[in-house]
Amino acid sequence: MARRRKNRTHLKGAAANSETQENVPRSFIIKHGQVGSSLSQLVRDLRKVMEPNTATRLRERRRNKLKDYITMAPTLKVSHLMAVTLTDVAPSLRIARLPTGPTFSFRIERYSLKKDLLKASRSSRSQGLEYLTAPLLVLASFPPPSPNTPQYFSLLMKAFQSLFPPLAPHTMTLSGARRIVLIAYNAERGTIDFRHYLITVKPYGVSKRVRRVLEGAKKSTSTTGVLDLGDEKDIADFLLRKRGEPGPASEGGYESAASSASSAAGDDADAVSLADDYVGRNNKRGQKKAVKLDEIGPRMELRLVKITEGPPGKEGAVMYHEFVKKSKAEAASLRTSHAAKERLRRQRREEQEENVQRKKEAKQKGPTALSEEAPDSQAEDSGDDEGHEEGEAQWDEEDEISEVDEDDSIESERESEGEFEQPRKRAKVSVKR
């Protein structure tokens, strides 16, 4: 019996709802060259950040080159390539817009993996369902456009915006906003901070213990999701217990009167009214909730090193460089040379396409076209032979001539005179015994 093929259940997120969405950016995130286990894990974490519009299960091979991914990108409708490499100075990250560029080269000053941040955090971990929708992008602390602001800032902001799908407030649902990617510019260090957060919604205006009753127990401590109050005589003992009084071991600590009062009062700046039903228990439309961001990683500190035109392998002029500065004359000469190389590349490409088209047309015409082309080819061959003879007639005697051994010259003379004698054949003698 033939095995049934899955055709619907393997689609993720937005792809399951709209398979023909063309304006959604898709990406390849790869490691290039020899990298360690930490950078390999960083690549996998970045793929989780860019889900569901990235190749999560992409496997790189040692013989694969950047040219292979760039060639396959248009077929798979991939718009961006992110490559992590390890250099002698520090790890680097390249973000390229396919197929025309530009390419942004970053140096990874510092980074933290997803598992390290989750170990250090006390908040609840992600369940995995938030990766079914794309994250929201937040750009912070970038200088506003002005005559004094460098031009590469606007190009850099557009590059990060093109990595994620554009917002559509009229069509998106509130439950689809599950994650946030924060990209902030640090003016003191001149670096870019990359953060990844999970959006959580909690009850507003209640204390921590009341919130635990409303939300239920954590899945790590209870399988039913109900808070265990079996050791309490009354629920008031759990809600009104003062600091220092003995309590059940399952409570996991106490809170002071100040923290309890502050959590009960709440902050109006953190509270929002839900415009629609949200993910979680008791998160209904119109209720007042407190929004919190939990960092789930990875975390990176990037320094922009270079911006070049074109994709990797076909880089054009350097638009910005952190360490190398060139004069206007040098920049103009480089632009001229890159333009000449591009014209030559385009010319060769056109010639190849014309040759391929001509061969296809000749093949479609059949043997008649080949027979017509045969006399032309013979005429060309005869012309080449005549040219070759003329070249031999114009031999310069003063040119160097390789020395020939005396034995070889003697043998050649004997061959010309016919002095070689045929070897005698031995007669076969049969002996009868």
Side-chain angles (χ1 to χ4, degrees), residues 369-381:
L370 297 176
S371 60
E372 291 177 358
E373 292 181 359
D376 298 338
S377 60
Q378 292 178 0
E380 292 178 359
D381 296 340

mmCIF file with all atom_site columns, all heavy atoms in Angstrom, residues 369-381:
data_model
loop_
_atom_site.group_PDB
_atom_site.id
_atom_site.type_symbol
_atom_site.label_atom_id
_atom_site.label_alt_id
_atom_site.label_comp_id
_atom_site.label_asym_id
_atom_site.label_entity_id
_atom_site.label_seq_id
_atom_site.pdbx_PDB_ins_code
_atom_site.Cartn_x
_atom_site.Cartn_y
_atom_site.Cartn_z
_atom_site.occupancy
_atom_site.B_iso_or_equiv
_atom_site.pdbx_formal_charge
_atom_site.auth_seq_id
_atom_site.auth_comp_id
_atom_site.auth_asym_id
_atom_site.auth_atom_id
_atom_site.pdbx_PDB_model_num
ATOM 1  N N   . ALA A 1 369 ? 19.175 22.550 -41.828 1.00 0.00 ? 369 ALA A N   1
ATOM 2  C CA  . ALA A 1 369 ? 19.990 23.681 -41.356 1.00 0.00 ? 369 ALA A CA  1
ATOM 3  C C   . ALA A 1 369 ? 21.410 23.235 -41.081 1.00 0.00 ? 369 ALA A C   1
ATOM 4  O O   . ALA A 1 369 ? 22.376 23.962 -41.348 1.00 0.00 ? 369 ALA A O   1
ATOM 5  C CB  . ALA A 1 369 ? 19.369 24.276 -40.095 1.00 0.00 ? 369 ALA A CB  1
ATOM 6  N N   . LEU A 1 370 ? 21.560 21.988 -40.585 1.00 0.00 ? 370 LEU A N   1
ATOM 7  C CA  . LEU A 1 370 ? 22.915 21.509 -40.317 1.00 0.00 ? 370 LEU A CA  1
ATOM 8  C C   . LEU A 1 370 ? 23.688 21.303 -41.606 1.00 0.00 ? 370 LEU A C   1
ATOM 9  O O   . LEU A 1 370 ? 24.884 21.580 -41.686 1.00 0.00 ? 370 LEU A O   1
ATOM 10 C CB  . LEU A 1 370 ? 22.844 20.194 -39.527 1.00 0.00 ? 370 LEU A CB  1
ATOM 11 C CG  . LEU A 1 370 ? 22.195 20.292 -38.136 1.00 0.00 ? 370 LEU A CG  1
ATOM 12 C CD1 . LEU A 1 370 ? 22.109 18.911 -37.503 1.00 0.00 ? 370 LEU A CD1 1
ATOM 13 C CD2 . LEU A 1 370 ? 22.995 21.239 -37.248 1.00 0.00 ? 370 LEU A CD2 1
ATOM 14 N N   . SER A 1 371 ? 22.988 20.805 -42.702 1.00 0.00 ? 371 SER A N   1
ATOM 15 C CA  . SER A 1 371 ? 23.671 20.604 -43.983 1.00 0.00 ? 371 SER A CA  1
ATOM 16 C C   . SER A 1 371 ? 24.053 21.938 -44.611 1.00 0.00 ? 371 SER A C   1
ATOM 17 O O   . SER A 1 371 ? 25.072 22.048 -45.290 1.00 0.00 ? 371 SER A O   1
ATOM 18 C CB  . SER A 1 371 ? 22.755 19.817 -44.929 1.00 0.00 ? 371 SER A CB  1
ATOM 19 O OG  . SER A 1 371 ? 21.549 20.546 -45.153 1.00 0.00 ? 371 SER A OG  1
ATOM 20 N N   . GLU A 1 372 ? 23.231 22.980 -44.367 1.00 0.00 ? 372 GLU A N   1
ATOM 21 C CA  . GLU A 1 372 ? 23.595 24.296 -44.894 1.00 0.00 ? 372 GLU A CA  1
ATOM 22 C C   . GLU A 1 372 ? 24.786 24.889 -44.166 1.00 0.00 ? 372 GLU A C   1
ATOM 23 O O   . GLU A 1 372 ? 25.608 25.578 -44.750 1.00 0.00 ? 372 GLU A O   1
ATOM 24 C CB  . GLU A 1 372 ? 22.391 25.236 -44.768 1.00 0.00 ? 372 GLU A CB  1
ATOM 25 C CG  . GLU A 1 372 ? 21.240 24.866 -45.695 1.00 0.00 ? 372 GLU A CG  1
ATOM 26 C CD  . GLU A 1 372 ? 20.054 25.781 -45.486 1.00 0.00 ? 372 GLU A CD  1
ATOM 27 O OE1 . GLU A 1 372 ? 20.164 26.648 -44.591 1.00 0.00 ? 372 GLU A OE1 1
ATOM 28 O OE2 . GLU A 1 372 ? 19.041 25.640 -46.189 1.00 0.00 ? 372 GLU A OE2 1
ATOM 29 N N   . GLU A 1 373 ? 24.888 24.584 -42.882 1.00 0.00 ? 373 GLU A N   1
ATOM 30 C CA  . GLU A 1 373 ? 26.005 25.118 -42.128 1.00 0.00 ? 373 GLU A CA  1
ATOM 31 C C   . GLU A 1 373 ? 27.288 24.348 -42.383 1.00 0.00 ? 373 GLU A C   1
ATOM 32 O O   . GLU A 1 373 ? 28.367 24.840 -42.124 1.00 0.00 ? 373 GLU A O   1
ATOM 33 C CB  . GLU A 1 373 ? 25.680 25.086 -40.629 1.00 0.00 ? 373 GLU A CB  1
ATOM 34 C CG  . GLU A 1 373 ? 24.568 26.052 -40.254 1.00 0.00 ? 373 GLU A CG  1
ATOM 35 C CD  . GLU A 1 373 ? 24.289 26.007 -38.779 1.00 0.00 ? 373 GLU A CD  1
ATOM 36 O OE1 . GLU A 1 373 ? 24.969 25.187 -38.106 1.00 0.00 ? 373 GLU A OE1 1
ATOM 37 O OE2 . GLU A 1 373 ? 23.453 26.772 -38.294 1.00 0.00 ? 373 GLU A OE2 1
ATOM 38 N N   . ALA A 1 374 ? 27.175 23.115 -42.940 1.00 0.00 ? 374 ALA A N   1
ATOM 39 C CA  . ALA A 1 374 ? 28.374 22.290 -43.146 1.00 0.00 ? 374 ALA A CA  1
ATOM 40 C C   . ALA A 1 374 ? 29.334 22.916 -44.144 1.00 0.00 ? 374 ALA A C   1
ATOM 41 O O   . ALA A 1 374 ? 30.542 22.981 -43.899 1.00 0.00 ? 374 ALA A O   1
ATOM 42 C CB  . ALA A 1 374 ? 27.969 20.884 -43.580 1.00 0.00 ? 374 ALA A CB  1
ATOM 43 N N   . PRO A 1 375 ? 28.874 23.401 -45.376 1.00 0.00 ? 375 PRO A N   1
ATOM 44 C CA  . PRO A 1 375 ? 29.841 24.029 -46.301 1.00 0.00 ? 375 PRO A CA  1
ATOM 45 C C   . PRO A 1 375 ? 30.536 25.233 -45.680 1.00 0.00 ? 375 PRO A C   1
ATOM 46 O O   . PRO A 1 375 ? 31.728 25.451 -45.922 1.00 0.00 ? 375 PRO A O   1
ATOM 47 C CB  . PRO A 1 375 ? 28.960 24.428 -47.493 1.00 0.00 ? 375 PRO A CB  1
ATOM 48 C CG  . PRO A 1 375 ? 27.766 23.535 -47.405 1.00 0.00 ? 375 PRO A CG  1
ATOM 49 C CD  . PRO A 1 375 ? 27.539 23.301 -45.982 1.00 0.00 ? 375 PRO A CD  1
ATOM 50 N N   . ASP A 1 376 ? 29.817 25.997 -44.901 1.00 0.00 ? 376 ASP A N   1
ATOM 51 C CA  . ASP A 1 376 ? 30.447 27.143 -44.259 1.00 0.00 ? 376 ASP A CA  1
ATOM 52 C C   . ASP A 1 376 ? 31.557 26.706 -43.327 1.00 0.00 ? 376 ASP A C   1
ATOM 53 O O   . ASP A 1 376 ? 32.637 27.294 -43.282 1.00 0.00 ? 376 ASP A O   1
ATOM 54 C CB  . ASP A 1 376 ? 29.396 27.947 -43.484 1.00 0.00 ? 376 ASP A CB  1
ATOM 55 C CG  . ASP A 1 376 ? 28.320 28.494 -44.414 1.00 0.00 ? 376 ASP A CG  1
ATOM 56 O OD1 . ASP A 1 376 ? 28.613 28.615 -45.621 1.00 0.00 ? 376 ASP A OD1 1
ATOM 57 O OD2 . ASP A 1 376 ? 27.203 28.778 -43.922 1.00 0.00 ? 376 ASP A OD2 1
ATOM 58 N N   . SER A 1 377 ? 31.290 25.623 -42.583 1.00 0.00 ? 377 SER A N   1
ATOM 59 C CA  . SER A 1 377 ? 32.326 25.149 -41.664 1.00 0.00 ? 377 SER A CA  1
ATOM 60 C C   . SER A 1 377 ? 33.522 24.600 -42.423 1.00 0.00 ? 377 SER A C   1
ATOM 61 O O   . SER A 1 377 ? 34.670 24.788 -42.030 1.00 0.00 ? 377 SER A O   1
ATOM 62 C CB  . SER A 1 377 ? 31.741 24.068 -40.742 1.00 0.00 ? 377 SER A CB  1
ATOM 63 O OG  . SER A 1 377 ? 31.270 22.980 -41.517 1.00 0.00 ? 377 SER A OG  1
ATOM 64 N N   . GLN A 1 378 ? 33.258 23.913 -43.614 1.00 0.00 ? 378 GLN A N   1
ATOM 65 C CA  . GLN A 1 378 ? 34.378 23.411 -44.401 1.00 0.00 ? 378 GLN A CA  1
ATOM 66 C C   . GLN A 1 378 ? 35.193 24.559 -44.968 1.00 0.00 ? 378 GLN A C   1
ATOM 67 O O   . GLN A 1 378 ? 36.420 24.506 -45.016 1.00 0.00 ? 378 GLN A O   1
ATOM 68 C CB  . GLN A 1 378 ? 33.844 22.533 -45.537 1.00 0.00 ? 378 GLN A CB  1
ATOM 69 C CG  . GLN A 1 378 ? 33.204 21.224 -45.050 1.00 0.00 ? 378 GLN A CG  1
ATOM 70 C CD  . GLN A 1 378 ? 32.642 20.418 -46.193 1.00 0.00 ? 378 GLN A CD  1
ATOM 71 O OE1 . GLN A 1 378 ? 32.742 20.853 -47.357 1.00 0.00 ? 378 GLN A OE1 1
ATOM 72 N NE2 . GLN A 1 378 ? 32.070 19.254 -45.871 1.00 0.00 ? 378 GLN A NE2 1
ATOM 73 N N   . ALA A 1 379 ? 34.491 25.616 -45.399 1.00 0.00 ? 379 ALA A N   1
ATOM 74 C CA  . ALA A 1 379 ? 35.226 26.781 -45.914 1.00 0.00 ? 379 ALA A CA  1
ATOM 75 C C   . ALA A 1 379 ? 36.076 27.400 -44.818 1.00 0.00 ? 379 ALA A C   1
ATOM 76 O O   . ALA A 1 379 ? 37.216 27.796 -45.049 1.00 0.00 ? 379 ALA A O   1
ATOM 77 C CB  . ALA A 1 379 ? 34.234 27.802 -46.476 1.00 0.00 ? 379 ALA A CB  1
ATOM 78 N N   . GLU A 1 380 ? 35.544 27.450 -43.610 1.00 0.00 ? 380 GLU A N   1
ATOM 79 C CA  . GLU A 1 380 ? 36.331 27.998 -42.517 1.00 0.00 ? 380 GLU A CA  1
ATOM 80 C C   . GLU A 1 380 ? 37.540 27.120 -42.233 1.00 0.00 ? 380 GLU A C   1
ATOM 81 O O   . GLU A 1 380 ? 38.637 27.616 -41.973 1.00 0.00 ? 380 GLU A O   1
ATOM 82 C CB  . GLU A 1 380 ? 35.444 28.122 -41.279 1.00 0.00 ? 380 GLU A CB  1
ATOM 83 C CG  . GLU A 1 380 ? 34.361 29.188 -41.427 1.00 0.00 ? 380 GLU A CG  1
ATOM 84 C CD  . GLU A 1 380 ? 33.481 29.234 -40.203 1.00 0.00 ? 380 GLU A CD  1
ATOM 85 O OE1 . GLU A 1 380 ? 33.739 28.410 -39.288 1.00 0.00 ? 380 GLU A OE1 1
ATOM 86 O OE2 . GLU A 1 380 ? 32.572 30.065 -40.145 1.00 0.00 ? 380 GLU A OE2 1
ATOM 87 N N   . ASP A 1 381 ? 37.343 25.766 -42.314 1.00 0.00 ? 381 ASP A N   1
ATOM 88 C CA  . ASP A 1 381 ? 38.477 24.876 -42.069 1.00 0.00 ? 381 ASP A CA  1
ATOM 89 C C   . ASP A 1 381 ? 39.548 25.055 -43.134 1.00 0.00 ? 381 ASP A C   1
ATOM 90 O O   . ASP A 1 381 ? 40.743 25.057 -42.843 1.00 0.00 ? 381 ASP A O   1
ATOM 91 C CB  . ASP A 1 381 ? 38.001 23.416 -42.043 1.00 0.00 ? 381 ASP A CB  1
ATOM 92 C CG  . ASP A 1 381 ? 37.056 23.197 -40.871 1.00 0.00 ? 381 ASP A CG  1
ATOM 93 O OD1 . ASP A 1 381 ? 37.087 24.022 -39.925 1.00 0.00 ? 381 ASP A OD1 1
ATOM 94 O OD2 . ASP A 1 381 ? 36.284 22.213 -40.904 1.00 0.00 ? 381 ASP A OD2 1
#
